[in-house]
Amino acid sequence: MKLNELKVACSSCNLRELCLPVGFGRDDLTRLDALVASRKTVKRGDALFHAGDPFQSLYAVRTGFFKTCVSSEDGRDQVTGFQMAGELLGLDAISQDRHTCDAIALEDAQVCQIPYSQLESLSREFTELQHSFHKIMSREIVRDHGVMLLLGSMRAEERLAAFLLNLTQRLAARGFSPTSLVLRMTREEIGSYLGLKLETVSRTFSKFQEDGVLEVKQRHIRVLDLDALHALLNSSSAC
Amino acid sequence: MKLNELKVACSSCNLRELCLPVGFGRDDLTRLDALVASRKTVKRGDALFHAGDPFQSLYAVRTGFFKTCVSSEDGRDQVTGFQMAGELLGLDAISQDRHTCDAIALEDAQVCQIPYSQLESLSREFTELQHSFHKIMSREIVRDHGVMLLLGSMRAEERLAAFLLNLTQRLAARGFSPTSLVLRMTREEIGSYLGLKLETVSRTFSKFQEDGVLEVKQRHIRVLDLDALHALLNSSSAC
DNA sequence: CGTGTCTTTGAAGCGAGTCAATCAGGGTGG
DNA sequence: CCACCCTGATTGACTCGCTTCAAAGACACG
């Protein structure tokens, strides 16, 4: 066994508290190691998979940043999520044995490949894994419902505030500063995710800067007034 | 064993081709029967569960029609789906051991109660069930992504067309006429689902009627020109 | 037959989209 | 090392689709 393969094992991965094995004990973790077949490198701009590709494996993001997007027959497309370290890609593909969205790396990335058939068989004899996997799928459903709420009933400022708060929370959980971040995606990608045009995203960033809520320098964002962002979400009756 | 309990068994349920046991053989079906604990009746307007309720069971709709809706802290709320016979309710609750949305019956309904712990243990020794359950969760994710596409990039007419096409397809799969239907939900609920105000929904229905695409009499809808509905989705370049 | 809920329709206003021009960086090649 | 180019970001002016506010109509139910 080669040394760099040891490194990739779940049992020694620093993401184990965020990824599939949340809450696992030491013994559980070593059982998981059998599951992760290999690492895979994806360069910025490249696709990990495309819609229509046959489904073999799920992928856990180790490093880097992804977007997933679906597209309709008439060429419309929609960013459905942004994934960072510890998050799973490919859950949509189980339903039809084919991927239903594209997963594109927004920066150079590394993923762990998890063959789905092995995940199924291992989780049959390993209750914690089964439970953990179900929770992750369910969490994705809950997340999607939150996005539906956002897209269905929020105004531009509220959408961007919700987006930034979500991003900073997830970054904070990974040990990054919750007040200073670098966006990995373009204004257009943010807009697609939030159901806005890129100009509206840009204008809203500028508005936040004027109001002293953010400092915006291209993709570098500093949160100056976290309460103001929260306030945008907790009081729709602000008008 | 009482006669009416025999009737509720998956092995003799006429929904078995739409529900959890899709593609199961005779033997598989009888193994499933152990899973469904009981039936439950929900009256029109009542909740099957509320957001925050502790999670015990999933529910399969036997008869009737439900809506699920999430709400944010500030009282905004969003219909996240409409469920009919054979569809599962409660998948969102697995992630946090609590329901995250309300499930409200839009007409008198009957559901099968599926204790989640039993579903987990049975699916550990029963590959087909495990696989089927995973597919159902994954399908929910794919559906949500479709709704996100709708909410993020479609205009009012396109949203309503997509909604109606989806509804008629699901009704057709259950043996109902694909051209004539009775809406179980109000304009406001449709609007909430589609990210529109109820007046806009009403106006769009009227527009479709003027154009000869639909015949609309309150909640009674007849589809006159199916192609026109499809055309609204397949050519955004119609302008 | 009245009452409340849901639906329809109109008129006016506004938020976000569209179109277009300019600006800022990052990378590349001379 | 710098000028250039290309992509992405910003900003402005105008337009349009949807929302808002308001009133009237239709239906279901007691």
Side-chain angles (χ1 to χ4, degrees):
Chain A
M1 193 185 279
K2 280 176 287 178
L3 197 61
N4 63 355
E5 286 187 347
L6 267 174
K7 272 187 186 165
V8 76
C10 294
S11 52
S12 60
C13 178
N14 56 8
L15 290 168
R16 59 180 177 270
E17 289 306 322
L18 291 163
C19 196
L20 198 54
V22 265
F24 282 25
R26 270 256 142 255
D27 296 348
D28 297 335
L29 277 167
T30 55
R31 294 181 71 182
L32 247 200
D33 291 346
L35 199 59
V36 177
S38 64
R39 269 186 291 180
K40 209 168 163 178
T41 297
V42 189
K43 285 231 270 292
R44 178 193 153 123
D46 285 354
L48 176 59
F49 52 75
H50 284 290
D53 287 354
F55 172 54
Q56 299 289 343
S57 301
L58 298 171
Y59 300 93
V61 180
R62 256 184 69 78
T63 63
F65 203 86
F66 285 84
K67 69 168 177 180
T68 48
C69 42
V70 297
S71 37
S72 62
E73 296 121 41
D74 57 327
R76 231 188 299 252
D77 73 328
Q78 170 79 23
V79 172
T80 54
F82 297 107
Q83 293 79 22
M84 56 179 76
E87 297 175 336
L88 247 50
L89 284 160
L91 295 173
D92 55 280
I94 298 169
S95 72
Q96 300 159 354
D97 289 321
R98 295 199 166 272
H99 290 282
T100 64
C101 63
D102 299 341
I104 314 286
L106 296 180
E107 58 180 357
D108 290 353
Q110 222 174 63
V111 296
C112 298
Q113 184 168 11
I114 305 170
Y116 178 62
S117 59
Q118 288 179 42
L119 174 62
E120 276 200 328
S121 61
L122 187 58
S123 77
R124 251 175 267 137
E125 55 198 51
F126 188 178
T127 314
E128 289 79 7
L129 176 62
Q130 180 195 34
H131 202 64
S132 181
F133 179 57
H134 289 175
K135 286 206 175 204
I136 286 173
M137 293 211 93
S138 176
R139 193 183 311 140
E140 174 67 15
I141 292 171
V142 173
R143 188 192 69 84
D144 291 347
H145 289 176
V147 176
M148 287 165 65
L149 176 72
L150 178 148
L151 290 171
S153 70
M154 292 189 183
R155 293 176 307 104
E157 286 183 30
E158 298 167 334
R159 295 184 194 196
L160 192 61
F163 170 72
L164 289 171
L165 286 173
N166 175 274
L167 215 53
T168 53
Q169 277 163 20
R170 285 155 68 203
L171 287 170
R174 284 156 183 80
F176 294 100
S177 163
T179 57
S180 180
L181 62 150
V182 178
L183 299 174
R184 254 64 237 217
M185 68 297 276
T186 66
R187 299 291 190 259
E188 185 167 21
E189 287 160 340
I190 297 173
S192 172
Y193 182 60
L194 298 178
L196 301 169
K197 293 293 158 182
L198 69 96
E199 294 96 329
T200 305
V201 174
S202 179
R203 270 185 251 270
T204 308
F205 270 124
S206 299
K207 171 90 169 29
F208 282 166
Q209 188 161 32
E210 283 168 31
D211 294 352
V213 178
L214 298 180
E215 186 183 302
V216 183
K217 282 196 192 126
Q218 304 286 129
R219 298 197 181 180
H220 296 259
I221 308 289
R222 179 180 296 274
V223 180
L224 302 175
D225 189 348
L226 201 63
D227 293 343
L229 285 182
H230 276 113
L232 272 167
L233 299 183
N234 294 330
S235 63
S236 64
S237 51
C239 37
Chain B
M1 191 184 282
K2 280 175 288 178
L3 196 61
N4 63 354
E5 285 187 349
L6 267 174
K7 272 189 187 164
V8 76
C10 294
S11 52
S12 60
C13 178
N14 55 9
L15 290 168
R16 59 181 179 272
E17 289 306 322
L18 292 162
C19 195
L20 199 55
V22 266
F24 282 26
R26 271 254 141 255
D27 295 348
D28 297 336
L29 278 167
T30 55
R31 296 180 71 181
L32 248 199
D33 292 345
L35 199 57
V36 177
S38 64
R39 269 186 292 181
K40 210 169 164 179
T41 298
V42 189
K43 284 231 269 293
R44 178 193 153 124
D46 285 355
L48 175 60
F49 52 75
H50 283 289
D53 288 354
F55 173 54
Q56 299 289 343
S57 300
L58 298 171
Y59 299 93
V61 181
R62 256 184 68 78
T63 62
F65 204 87
F66 284 84
K67 69 168 176 179
T68 49
C69 42
V70 297
S71 38
S72 62
E73 297 119 42
D74 57 327
R76 230 189 300 253
D77 73 329
Q78 169 79 24
V79 172
T80 54
F82 297 107
Q83 293 78 23
M84 56 179 75
E87 296 176 336
L88 246 51
L89 285 160
L91 295 174
D92 54 280
I94 299 170
S95 73
Q96 300 160 355
D97 288 320
R98 295 199 167 270
H99 290 283
T100 65
C101 62
D102 299 341
I104 315 284
L106 296 182
E107 58 181 358
D108 290 354
Q110 222 173 64
V111 298
C112 297
Q113 186 169 10
I114 305 170
Y116 176 62
S117 60
Q118 288 178 43
L119 174 63
E120 276 199 329
S121 62
L122 187 58
S123 77
R124 252 175 267 137
E125 54 198 51
F126 189 177
T127 315
E128 289 79 6
L129 176 61
Q130 179 194 34
H131 203 64
S132 182
F133 179 56
H134 288 175
K135 286 206 176 204
I136 285 172
M137 293 212 94
S138 176
R139 193 182 313 142
E140 174 68 15
I141 293 171
V142 172
R143 187 192 71 84
D144 291 347
H145 288 176
V147 176
M148 287 165 65
L149 176 72
L150 178 148
L151 290 171
S153 69
M154 292 188 183
R155 293 175 307 102
E157 287 182 31
E158 297 167 334
R159 293 184 194 194
L160 192 60
F163 169 71
L164 289 171
L165 287 172
N166 175 274
L167 215 52
T168 53
Q169 277 162 20
R170 285 155 68 203
L171 288 170
R174 285 157 183 80
F176 294 99
S177 162
T179 57
S180 180
L181 62 149
V182 178
L183 298 174
R184 253 67 237 216
M185 66 297 275
T186 67
R187 301 289 190 257
E188 185 168 21
E189 286 160 340
I190 297 172
S192 172
Y193 183 59
L194 298 178
L196 301 169
K197 293 294 159 184
L198 68 96
E199 294 95 330
T200 306
V201 174
S202 178
R203 272 184 250 272
T204 308
F205 270 124
S206 300
K207 171 89 170 27
F208 282 166
Q209 187 162 32
E210 283 168 33
D211 295 352
V213 178
L214 298 180
E215 185 183 302
V216 183
K217 281 197 192 125
Q218 304 286 127
R219 298 196 182 182
H220 296 259
I221 308 288
R222 179 181 296 275
V223 180
L224 302 174
D225 189 349
L226 201 64
D227 294 343
L229 284 183
H230 276 112
L232 272 168
L233 298 183
N234 295 331
S235 63
S236 65
S237 51
C239 37

